[in-house]
Amino acid sequence: MVMHMTVRVAVSGASGYAGGEVLRLLSSHPEVEIGAVTAHSSAGELLGTHQPHLRSLAGRRLEATGADTLRGHDVVVLALPHGASAEVAAQLGDDVLVLDCGADHRLVDAAQWTAFYGSDHAGTWPYGLPELLLDRGSRRQRDLLAGVRRVAVPGCNVTAVTLGIQPGVAAGLVETTDLVAVLAVGYSGAGKAAKTHLLASEGLGSAVPYAVGGTHRHIPEIEQNLRWVGADAVSLSFTPALVPMARGILATTTARLVPGVAASDVRAAWVDAYADEPFVHVLPEGQWPTTAATTGANTALVQVAVDERAGRVVAVTALDNLVKGTAGAAVQSMNIALGLPETTGLPLEGVAP
């Protein structure tokens, strides 16, 4: 006999890309009833004005974001700008599961938060990347998510880079003091705000780097993850570029091989790390990840090779920044925290062409 539970979920920041994607996933989740949908400047307007693709919810009216509106739900998803979640979350009781899609509660080091975000640190919550290999792979982050009432959802670029390189770190095959990550990122990763450099007339036919030279806010989060995996020290050169696609991340991460490591050992480490993971798939040899293959799915596709001339491992990861990179990670973590099957309500198949 299959037991069912009804979980009432509120989504704050429902007019944005991340909030809209959370609602898309929750609308087909068999155990979820969608409660309040809230926004800030667009409060009072119909959700369908901002998320016209969500036909089943289009007639819902956006309420103002506030603790009074969010209380009384089993789960609250905060898809708010960085720095805005902590104040709202602090007003919600410990009986509600709060999932923060922003960065407010991801970092352990308060000094790193202040350096990269320029404000006071709001504290650290359990981290919502279930596949993260802890202690060189002896545990996984999902082991720490069961029953929690606060979850910090990872950054999308962070997820792509971490999933790409962590098997080599956990197995001790790569040197973590010489990591290089270059990412192609879809425009939805930059948010929904109307800014000149995000207009189609500026972006179509062009690729443009941003946050160059060690300034991207995801850098300390990636380094933190790899230390949790088992690295003694991490030095990362991280360069993202916006490319003309709506969604998706293609992350290429390279690391110097530890002397004496054989190429056959490298692939085996990646395959073993993800053999039982429902959402992270190492592709057959010779097949490379594409962002198109992950569109709309909570999957991350990974491939690894050894550049023997350079003595480096090359790991390539593709994922949908709005699904596995954000909303899917939130729902996946919600499922674990509530004791539901981890894959409930989450699509494995992409949309093509």
Side-chain angles (χ1 to χ4, degrees):
M1 181 177 178
V2 178
M3 299 296 293
H4 292 280
M5 60 188 296
T6 299
V7 181
R8 195 158 182 264
V9 184
V11 177
S12 184
S15 61
Y17 287 138
E21 196 71 354
V22 169
L23 286 170
R24 182 180 74 86
L25 296 176
L26 293 180
S27 66
S28 59
H29 194 296
E31 312 295 346
V32 163
E33 173 192 336
I34 296 175
V37 290
T38 81
H40 180 53
S41 60
S42 53
E45 300 176 12
L46 292 177
L47 178 65
T49 303
H50 300 272
Q51 310 289 5
H53 61 298
L54 300 178
R55 298 313 308 156
S56 64
L57 300 170
R60 299 285 293 273
R61 197 163 294 278
L62 292 163
E63 301 180 62
T65 296
D68 290 342
T69 304
L70 299 175
R71 289 192 189 100
H73 294 82
D74 301 300
V75 178
V76 173
V77 181
L78 300 176
L80 302 174
H82 302 318
S85 297
E87 182 179 355
V88 177
Q91 300 176 64
L92 300 175
D94 293 337
D95 58 329
V96 59
L97 170 59
V98 183
L99 301 123
D100 183 8
C101 294
D104 293 28
H105 302 96
R106 295 171 186 165
L107 296 181
V108 172
D109 189 330
Q112 289 274 47
W113 170 269
T114 301
F116 279 82
Y117 291 89
S119 60
D120 292 336
H121 187 229
T124 306
W125 289 0
Y127 192 66
L129 182 57
E131 301 89 354
L132 183 65
L133 303 171
L134 302 177
D135 305 324
R136 294 204 173 274
S138 63
R139 298 180 298 153
R140 308 221 174 194
Q141 183 65 19
R142 66 168 49 86
D143 301 332
L144 306 182
L145 292 176
V148 301
R149 285 296 174 263
R150 297 290 188 270
V151 176
V153 179
C156 53
N157 295 318
V158 178
T159 297
V161 174
T162 300
L163 293 178
I165 201 63
Q166 70 166 352
V169 177
L173 303 180
V174 300
E175 298 177 359
T176 57
T177 55
D178 183 15
L179 296 172
V180 178
V182 178
L183 295 83
V185 182
Y187 269 73
S188 61
K192 207 173 185 179
K195 299 177 181 178
T196 301
H197 74 285
L198 302 181
L199 297 175
S201 56
E202 299 287 335
L204 292 178
S206 179
V208 56
Y210 65 100
V212 179
T215 62
H216 198 286
R217 290 171 167 180
H218 285 173
I219 292 172
E221 190 180 340
I222 297 169
E223 294 178 343
Q224 174 178 279
N225 284 358
L226 297 183
R227 287 193 295 270
W228 281 339
V229 171
D232 294 326
V234 182
S235 178
L236 171 68
S237 174
F238 178 92
T239 306
L242 289 173
V243 298
M245 58 186 183
R247 59 169 78 199
I249 295 173
L250 187 70
T252 302
T253 307
T254 75
R256 190 170 299 281
L257 268 177
V258 170
V261 172
S264 58
D265 294 334
V266 170
R267 180 168 180 82
W270 266 254
V271 171
D272 290 347
Y274 296 129
D276 299 321
E277 290 294 343
F279 297 117
V280 185
H281 304 149
V282 179
L283 295 177
E285 287 190 80
Q287 182 179 350
W288 289 94
T290 67
T291 57
T294 67
T295 300
N298 195 52
T299 51
L301 303 181
V302 179
Q303 185 59 281
V304 64
V306 174
D307 182 342
E308 297 199 20
R309 286 174 59 87
R312 299 183 74 87
V313 167
V314 180
V316 180
T317 308
L319 54 79
D320 186 325
N321 58 293
L322 292 179
V323 189
K324 183 56 178 164
T326 307
V331 174
Q332 187 179 347
S333 297
M334 179 193 77
N335 288 339
I336 297 170
L338 295 176
L340 295 169
E342 187 172 334
T343 58
T344 306
L346 289 169
L348 288 166
E349 317 299 342
V351 179

